[in-house]
Amino acid sequence: MITLRPANQRGHFDHGWLNTYHTFSFADYSDPAHIHFRALRVINEDVIAPGRGFGMHPHENMEIITYVLSGALEHRDSLGTGAVIRPGDGQRMSAGTGIVHSEFNPSPSAPVHLLQIWIIPDRDKLGIAPSYEQRPFPDEEKRGQWRLIASPTGTQGSVKIHANASLLVTKLAPGQSLPFALPAGRYAWLQMARGAASLNGTPLGQGDGASITNEAALTLSVAEDAPEEAEVLLFDLA
């Protein structure tokens, strides 16, 4: 079963410096029907104005992935990490027993557009030491194929998260299709980061999401007359 989560039904707040959409309940957005899906707790689509950002703030016991679509995001944390996250990078922060960090758009003129993702860690991974990991994943590794970005084991060069969940990303050109075999007993969430596509015949536009249950075979397709390529995130979940 594929259940659509339309982009225009997400929570939305425009704070001037931050234009944000919440797929699941978050901060001042409360939606009892959309609190989480399996271990997937947060998908926030954020556009942060030039020279603005989130000051130092704490997290604990959460796997946090930042996926930048355009622009750049500067990250600093209480571990001493200083990094700039750019489009294509795979980044995760394991909050563990507690971490404090900031996220800032260093550009004086360009906004940064990103997805921030929270995944609930496995119960036996609660209370681990906080850590940070980041590495680039070039577009050529994503075009026309699934590229594993995050996983529990760090296989295929993915960043390692402390949860029974994996994140795969693809970029599909107009006219392309791509299958995915969902193992028995697994669930999935698909998030359209850019462009439009159909999933097993269900149309999806930019910002749409879809929960997937009891579907062994998935096919993602982009129409031949689509005006742009589609960038898609797929979460494989226990």
Side-chain angles (χ1 to χ4, degrees), residues 93-164:
M93 183 180 72
S94 296
T97 52
I99 195 169
V100 179
H101 79 137
S102 65
E103 297 159 301
F104 182 76
N105 179 1
S107 172
S109 58
V112 57
H113 183 194
L114 62 98
L115 297 176
Q116 184 160 105
I117 297 147
W118 294 10
I119 297 175
I120 301 167
D122 293 343
R123 187 173 297 275
D124 64 350
K125 299 298 192 300
L126 297 174
I128 60 170
S131 61
Y132 183 92
E133 187 179 9
Q134 179 179 336
R135 61 187 61 180
F137 294 90
D139 281 352
E140 56 265 27
E141 296 180 5
K142 302 170 189 169
R143 288 202 162 100
Q145 60 189 337
W146 293 111
R147 179 54 166 109
L148 186 65
I149 299 295
S151 72
T153 60
T155 187
Q156 299 176 27
S158 58
V159 298
K160 185 176 180 179
I161 58 174
H162 299 91
N164 188 359

Side-chain angles (χ1 to χ4, degrees), residues 172-173 175-178 196-202 204 219-223 230:
L172 292 183
Q176 284 189 313
S177 294
L178 184 63
S198 65
L199 179 65
N200 288 10
T202 299
L204 296 159
T219 300
L220 183 69
S221 301
V222 177

Side-chain angles (χ1 to χ4, degrees), residues 34 65 73 87 111 116 132 159 196 228 232:
H34 298 95
I65 297 170
L73 188 72
Q116 184 160 105
Y132 183 92
V159 298
E228 62 178 337
V232 184

